[in-house]
mmCIF file of all heavy atoms in Angstrom:
data_model
loop_
_atom_site.group_PDB
_atom_site.id
_atom_site.type_symbol
_atom_site.label_atom_id
_atom_site.label_comp_id
_atom_site.label_asym_id
_atom_site.label_seq_id
_atom_site.Cartn_x
_atom_site.Cartn_y
_atom_site.Cartn_z
ATOM 1 N N GLN B 19 13.367 -1.683 -18.506
ATOM 2 C CA GLN B 19 14.400 -1.012 -17.716
ATOM 3 C C GLN B 19 14.958 0.242 -18.389
ATOM 4 O O GLN B 19 15.095 1.288 -17.760
ATOM 5 C CB GLN B 19 15.544 -1.993 -17.434
ATOM 6 C CG GLN B 19 16.495 -1.538 -16.336
ATOM 7 C CD GLN B 19 15.859 -1.554 -14.948
ATOM 8 O OE1 GLN B 19 15.251 -2.530 -14.560
ATOM 9 N NE2 GLN B 19 15.988 -0.438 -14.228
ATOM 10 N N ASP B 20 15.277 0.153 -19.658
ATOM 11 C CA ASP B 20 15.898 1.295 -20.348
ATOM 12 C C ASP B 20 15.020 1.847 -21.462
ATOM 13 O O ASP B 20 15.502 2.620 -22.299
ATOM 14 C CB ASP B 20 17.260 0.876 -20.915
ATOM 15 C CG ASP B 20 18.254 0.551 -19.805
ATOM 16 O OD1 ASP B 20 18.411 1.401 -18.898
ATOM 17 O OD2 ASP B 20 18.847 -0.543 -19.842
ATOM 18 N N ASP B 21 13.768 1.462 -21.462
ATOM 19 C CA ASP B 21 12.850 1.928 -22.508
ATOM 20 C C ASP B 21 11.785 2.836 -21.883
ATOM 21 O O ASP B 21 10.825 2.366 -21.265
ATOM 22 C CB ASP B 21 12.188 0.720 -23.197
ATOM 23 C CG ASP B 21 11.460 1.121 -24.475
ATOM 24 O OD1 ASP B 21 10.836 2.215 -24.477
ATOM 25 O OD2 ASP B 21 11.502 0.343 -25.440
ATOM 26 N N VAL B 22 11.968 4.128 -22.056
ATOM 27 C CA VAL B 22 11.067 5.100 -21.412
ATOM 28 C C VAL B 22 9.650 4.993 -21.967
ATOM 29 O O VAL B 22 8.665 5.124 -21.220
ATOM 30 C CB VAL B 22 11.622 6.543 -21.577
ATOM 31 C CG1 VAL B 22 10.634 7.574 -21.033
ATOM 32 C CG2 VAL B 22 12.955 6.695 -20.860
ATOM 33 N N ASP B 23 9.526 4.736 -23.258
ATOM 34 C CA ASP B 23 8.189 4.618 -23.848
ATOM 35 C C ASP B 23 7.402 3.468 -23.218
ATOM 36 O O ASP B 23 6.212 3.597 -22.914
ATOM 37 C CB ASP B 23 8.290 4.405 -25.371
ATOM 38 C CG ASP B 23 8.726 5.671 -26.093
ATOM 39 O OD1 ASP B 23 8.541 6.774 -25.504
ATOM 40 O OD2 ASP B 23 9.267 5.574 -27.205
ATOM 41 N N LEU B 24 8.071 2.327 -23.010
ATOM 42 C CA LEU B 24 7.403 1.181 -22.387
ATOM 43 C C LEU B 24 7.079 1.473 -20.917
ATOM 44 O O LEU B 24 6.040 1.062 -20.399
ATOM 45 C CB LEU B 24 8.288 -0.076 -22.494
ATOM 46 C CG LEU B 24 8.368 -0.737 -23.876
ATOM 47 C CD1 LEU B 24 9.347 -1.902 -23.846
ATOM 48 C CD2 LEU B 24 6.982 -1.223 -24.322
ATOM 49 N N GLN B 25 7.986 2.171 -20.241
ATOM 50 C CA GLN B 25 7.734 2.544 -18.845
ATOM 51 C C GLN B 25 6.483 3.423 -18.754
ATOM 52 O O GLN B 25 5.608 3.186 -17.914
ATOM 53 C CB GLN B 25 8.944 3.296 -18.267
ATOM 54 C CG GLN B 25 10.142 2.419 -17.998
ATOM 55 C CD GLN B 25 11.337 3.220 -17.496
ATOM 56 O OE1 GLN B 25 11.240 4.414 -17.258
ATOM 57 N NE2 GLN B 25 12.477 2.558 -17.348
ATOM 58 N N LYS B 26 6.424 4.428 -19.610
ATOM 59 C CA LYS B 26 5.274 5.347 -19.569
ATOM 60 C C LYS B 26 3.975 4.620 -19.903
ATOM 61 O O LYS B 26 2.937 4.837 -19.267
ATOM 62 C CB LYS B 26 5.494 6.505 -20.543
ATOM 63 C CG LYS B 26 4.345 7.499 -20.563
ATOM 64 C CD LYS B 26 4.642 8.690 -21.442
ATOM 65 C CE LYS B 26 3.413 9.565 -21.575
ATOM 66 N NZ LYS B 26 3.653 10.764 -22.405
ATOM 67 N N LYS B 27 4.041 3.726 -20.856
ATOM 68 C CA LYS B 27 2.840 3.014 -21.292
ATOM 69 C C LYS B 27 2.341 2.025 -20.243
ATOM 70 O O LYS B 27 1.136 1.890 -20.021
ATOM 71 C CB LYS B 27 3.139 2.263 -22.600
ATOM 72 C CG LYS B 27 1.954 1.496 -23.148
ATOM 73 C CD LYS B 27 2.311 0.798 -24.455
ATOM 74 C CE LYS B 27 1.128 -0.018 -24.976
ATOM 75 N NZ LYS B 27 1.463 -0.717 -26.232
ATOM 76 N N ASN B 28 3.253 1.378 -19.527
ATOM 77 C CA ASN B 28 2.859 0.237 -18.701
ATOM 78 C C ASN B 28 2.981 0.423 -17.189
ATOM 79 O O ASN B 28 2.411 -0.354 -16.418
ATOM 80 C CB ASN B 28 3.701 -0.992 -19.098
ATOM 81 C CG ASN B 28 3.431 -1.424 -20.525
ATOM 82 O OD1 ASN B 28 2.331 -1.888 -20.840
ATOM 83 N ND2 ASN B 28 4.414 -1.250 -21.395
ATOM 84 N N ILE B 29 3.724 1.436 -16.760
ATOM 85 C CA ILE B 29 3.949 1.599 -15.315
ATOM 86 C C ILE B 29 3.142 2.790 -14.804
ATOM 87 O O ILE B 29 3.268 3.896 -15.337
ATOM 88 C CB ILE B 29 5.453 1.802 -14.997
ATOM 89 C CG1 ILE B 29 6.255 0.586 -15.487
ATOM 90 C CG2 ILE B 29 5.659 1.997 -13.497
ATOM 91 C CD1 ILE B 29 7.757 0.708 -15.269
ATOM 92 N N PRO B 30 2.303 2.577 -13.802
ATOM 93 C CA PRO B 30 1.514 3.693 -13.275
ATOM 94 C C PRO B 30 2.394 4.717 -12.539
ATOM 95 O O PRO B 30 3.548 4.419 -12.208
ATOM 96 C CB PRO B 30 0.536 3.021 -12.307
ATOM 97 C CG PRO B 30 1.207 1.754 -11.912
ATOM 98 C CD PRO B 30 2.029 1.330 -13.086
ATOM 99 N N TYR B 31 1.831 5.878 -12.295
ATOM 100 C CA TYR B 31 2.438 6.984 -11.518
ATOM 101 C C TYR B 31 3.484 7.773 -12.285
ATOM 102 O O TYR B 31 3.805 8.891 -11.916
ATOM 103 C CB TYR B 31 3.047 6.488 -10.193
ATOM 104 C CG TYR B 31 2.090 5.675 -9.368
ATOM 105 C CD1 TYR B 31 2.332 4.321 -9.105
ATOM 106 C CD2 TYR B 31 0.910 6.238 -8.870
ATOM 107 C CE1 TYR B 31 1.442 3.570 -8.353
ATOM 108 C CE2 TYR B 31 0.015 5.493 -8.116
ATOM 109 C CZ TYR B 31 0.284 4.153 -7.871
ATOM 110 O OH TYR B 31 -0.595 3.405 -7.134
ATOM 111 N N ILE B 32 4.060 7.195 -13.353
ATOM 112 C CA ILE B 32 5.016 7.966 -14.148
ATOM 113 C C ILE B 32 4.198 8.855 -15.088
ATOM 114 O O ILE B 32 3.369 8.365 -15.843
ATOM 115 C CB ILE B 32 5.922 7.042 -14.991
ATOM 116 C CG1 ILE B 32 6.673 6.075 -14.089
ATOM 117 C CG2 ILE B 32 6.891 7.864 -15.815
ATOM 118 C CD1 ILE B 32 7.400 5.003 -14.847
ATOM 119 N N GLY B 33 4.433 10.157 -15.015
ATOM 120 C CA GLY B 33 3.690 11.066 -15.884
ATOM 121 C C GLY B 33 4.366 12.411 -15.938
ATOM 122 O O GLY B 33 5.361 12.658 -15.254
ATOM 123 N N GLU B 34 3.799 13.293 -16.750
ATOM 124 C CA GLU B 34 4.372 14.636 -16.898
ATOM 125 C C GLU B 34 3.728 15.659 -15.967
ATOM 126 O O GLU B 34 4.267 16.739 -15.751
ATOM 127 C CB GLU B 34 4.227 15.111 -18.349
ATOM 128 C CG GLU B 34 5.056 14.349 -19.354
ATOM 129 C CD GLU B 34 4.375 13.109 -19.916
ATOM 130 O OE1 GLU B 34 3.319 12.694 -19.375
ATOM 131 O OE2 GLU B 34 4.877 12.552 -20.900
ATOM 132 N N VAL B 35 2.539 15.336 -15.437
ATOM 133 C CA VAL B 35 1.829 16.272 -14.559
ATOM 134 C C VAL B 35 1.570 15.565 -13.228
ATOM 135 O O VAL B 35 0.934 14.506 -13.199
ATOM 136 C CB VAL B 35 0.485 16.737 -15.177
ATOM 137 C CG1 VAL B 35 -0.004 18.005 -14.491
ATOM 138 C CG2 VAL B 35 0.607 16.966 -16.679
ATOM 139 N N LEU B 36 2.071 16.138 -12.137
ATOM 140 C CA LEU B 36 1.975 15.468 -10.841
ATOM 141 C C LEU B 36 1.448 16.427 -9.779
ATOM 142 O O LEU B 36 1.805 17.612 -9.766
ATOM 143 C CB LEU B 36 3.348 14.941 -10.415
ATOM 144 C CG LEU B 36 4.084 14.047 -11.426
ATOM 145 C CD1 LEU B 36 5.131 14.867 -12.176
ATOM 146 C CD2 LEU B 36 4.774 12.883 -10.750
ATOM 147 N N LEU B 37 0.614 15.893 -8.896
ATOM 148 C CA LEU B 37 0.016 16.705 -7.831
ATOM 149 C C LEU B 37 0.137 15.957 -6.511
ATOM 150 O O LEU B 37 -0.230 14.782 -6.406
ATOM 151 C CB LEU B 37 -1.462 16.970 -8.146
ATOM 152 C CG LEU B 37 -2.276 17.804 -7.149
ATOM 153 C CD1 LEU B 37 -1.665 19.183 -6.955
ATOM 154 C CD2 LEU B 37 -3.720 17.929 -7.622
ATOM 155 N N GLY B 38 0.675 16.632 -5.492
ATOM 156 C CA GLY B 38 0.814 16.036 -4.166
ATOM 157 C C GLY B 38 0.114 16.871 -3.119
ATOM 158 O O GLY B 38 -0.063 18.084 -3.283
ATOM 159 N N HIS B 39 -0.263 16.232 -2.017
ATOM 160 C CA HIS B 39 -0.997 16.936 -0.958
ATOM 161 C C HIS B 39 -0.701 16.291 0.388
ATOM 162 O O HIS B 39 -0.652 15.065 0.505
ATOM 163 C CB HIS B 39 -2.503 16.861 -1.228
ATOM 164 C CG HIS B 39 -3.327 17.717 -0.321
ATOM 165 N ND1 HIS B 39 -3.881 17.249 0.854
ATOM 166 C CD2 HIS B 39 -3.699 19.012 -0.409
ATOM 167 C CE1 HIS B 39 -4.555 18.231 1.437
ATOM 168 N NE2 HIS B 39 -4.455 19.309 0.696
ATOM 169 N N VAL B 40 -0.462 17.126 1.400
ATOM 170 C CA VAL B 40 -0.381 16.648 2.778
ATOM 171 C C VAL B 40 -1.471 17.346 3.573
ATOM 172 O O VAL B 40 -1.771 18.513 3.346
ATOM 173 C CB VAL B 40 1.007 16.898 3.402
ATOM 174 C CG1 VAL B 40 2.039 15.992 2.768
ATOM 175 C CG2 VAL B 40 1.436 18.354 3.287
ATOM 176 N N ARG B 41 -2.064 16.626 4.539
ATOM 177 C CA ARG B 41 -3.314 17.095 5.130
ATOM 178 C C ARG B 41 -3.353 16.910 6.640
ATOM 179 O O ARG B 41 -2.853 15.929 7.168
ATOM 180 C CB ARG B 41 -4.471 16.300 4.514
ATOM 181 C CG ARG B 41 -5.823 16.537 5.149
ATOM 182 C CD ARG B 41 -6.858 15.610 4.530
ATOM 183 N NE ARG B 41 -8.198 15.908 5.011
ATOM 184 C CZ ARG B 41 -8.762 15.356 6.073
ATOM 185 N NH1 ARG B 41 -8.102 14.452 6.773
ATOM 186 N NH2 ARG B 41 -9.986 15.681 6.437
ATOM 187 N N TYR B 42 -3.973 17.892 7.282
ATOM 188 C CA TYR B 42 -4.426 17.723 8.660
ATOM 189 C C TYR B 42 -5.942 17.544 8.627
ATOM 190 O O TYR B 42 -6.629 18.235 7.881
ATOM 191 C CB TYR B 42 -4.096 18.951 9.508
ATOM 192 C CG TYR B 42 -2.801 18.846 10.263
ATOM 193 C CD1 TYR B 42 -1.739 19.685 9.988
ATOM 194 C CD2 TYR B 42 -2.640 17.904 11.274
ATOM 195 C CE1 TYR B 42 -0.539 19.590 10.688
ATOM 196 C CE2 TYR B 42 -1.442 17.803 11.977
ATOM 197 C CZ TYR B 42 -0.411 18.650 11.678
ATOM 198 O OH TYR B 42 0.769 18.552 12.374
ATOM 199 N N GLY B 43 -6.452 16.636 9.456
ATOM 200 C CA GLY B 43 -7.897 16.394 9.501
ATOM 201 C C GLY B 43 -8.586 17.453 10.342
ATOM 202 O O GLY B 43 -8.919 17.213 11.497
ATOM 203 N N THR B 44 -8.796 18.646 9.767
ATOM 204 C CA THR B 44 -9.315 19.802 10.509
ATOM 205 C C THR B 44 -10.643 19.508 11.183
ATOM 206 O O THR B 44 -10.914 19.966 12.278
ATOM 207 C CB THR B 44 -9.480 21.002 9.550
ATOM 208 O OG1 THR B 44 -8.258 21.172 8.846
ATOM 209 C CG2 THR B 44 -9.785 22.268 10.303
ATOM 210 N N PHE B 45 -11.492 18.762 10.523
ATOM 211 C CA PHE B 45 -12.829 18.519 11.058
ATOM 212 C C PHE B 45 -12.899 17.258 11.901
ATOM 213 O O PHE B 45 -13.965 16.795 12.248
ATOM 214 C CB PHE B 45 -13.859 18.443 9.924
ATOM 215 C CG PHE B 45 -14.181 19.764 9.338
ATOM 216 C CD1 PHE B 45 -13.469 20.249 8.260
ATOM 217 C CD2 PHE B 45 -15.181 20.561 9.876
ATOM 218 C CE1 PHE B 45 -13.756 21.483 7.710
ATOM 219 C CE2 PHE B 45 -15.472 21.803 9.335
ATOM 220 C CZ PHE B 45 -14.756 22.259 8.259
ATOM 221 N N GLY B 46 -11.755 16.692 12.215
ATOM 222 C CA GLY B 46 -11.764 15.494 13.052
ATOM 223 C C GLY B 46 -12.035 14.227 12.253
ATOM 224 O O GLY B 46 -11.912 13.134 12.751
ATOM 225 N N LYS B 47 -12.427 14.386 10.959
ATOM 226 C CA LYS B 47 -12.661 13.215 10.110
ATOM 227 C C LYS B 47 -11.348 12.871 9.433
ATOM 228 O O LYS B 47 -10.714 13.740 8.847
ATOM 229 C CB LYS B 47 -13.708 13.522 9.028
ATOM 230 C CG LYS B 47 -15.090 13.799 9.566
ATOM 231 C CD LYS B 47 -16.103 13.960 8.440
ATOM 232 C CE LYS B 47 -15.818 15.123 7.548
ATOM 233 N NZ LYS B 47 -16.827 15.365 6.524
ATOM 234 N N ASN B 48 -10.972 11.627 9.481
ATOM 235 C CA ASN B 48 -9.717 11.294 8.830
ATOM 236 C C ASN B 48 -9.783 9.928 8.163
ATOM 237 O O ASN B 48 -8.891 9.119 8.293
ATOM 238 C CB ASN B 48 -8.551 11.358 9.817
ATOM 239 C CG ASN B 48 -7.239 11.544 9.082
ATOM 240 O OD1 ASN B 48 -7.207 12.221 8.065
ATOM 241 N ND2 ASN B 48 -6.182 10.930 9.560
ATOM 242 N N SER B 49 -10.853 9.693 7.422
ATOM 243 C CA SER B 49 -10.918 8.495 6.601
ATOM 244 C C SER B 49 -10.153 8.785 5.317
ATOM 245 O O SER B 49 -9.917 9.938 4.963
ATOM 246 C CB SER B 49 -12.375 8.156 6.265
ATOM 247 O OG SER B 49 -12.924 9.166 5.447
ATOM 248 N N VAL B 50 -9.767 7.735 4.602
ATOM 249 C CA VAL B 50 -8.994 7.939 3.375
ATOM 250 C C VAL B 50 -9.828 8.692 2.331
ATOM 251 O O VAL B 50 -9.286 9.386 1.470
ATOM 252 C CB VAL B 50 -8.466 6.586 2.841
ATOM 253 C CG1 VAL B 50 -9.580 5.786 2.157
ATOM 254 C CG2 VAL B 50 -7.272 6.799 1.907
#
């Protein structure tokens, strides 16, 4: 809970570099 080192080591998605994307399926294909 209050240990950032343990959070970073053990919890996914927490990081220093993050990339997000929102998309329209231009070609009509929309599988994941």
Side-chain angles (χ1 to χ4, degrees):
Q19 195 69 49
D20 294 308
D21 192 322
V22 175
D23 288 338
L24 285 176
Q25 287 177 5
K26 180 175 173 179
K27 180 179 178 181
N28 296 293
I29 300 178
Y31 308 115
I32 302 171
E34 292 88 349
V35 198
L36 307 100
L37 180 59
H39 189 267
V40 290
R41 172 185 186 269
Y42 266 115
T44 309
F45 286 91
K47 295 186 297 185
N48 202 35
S49 66
V50 76

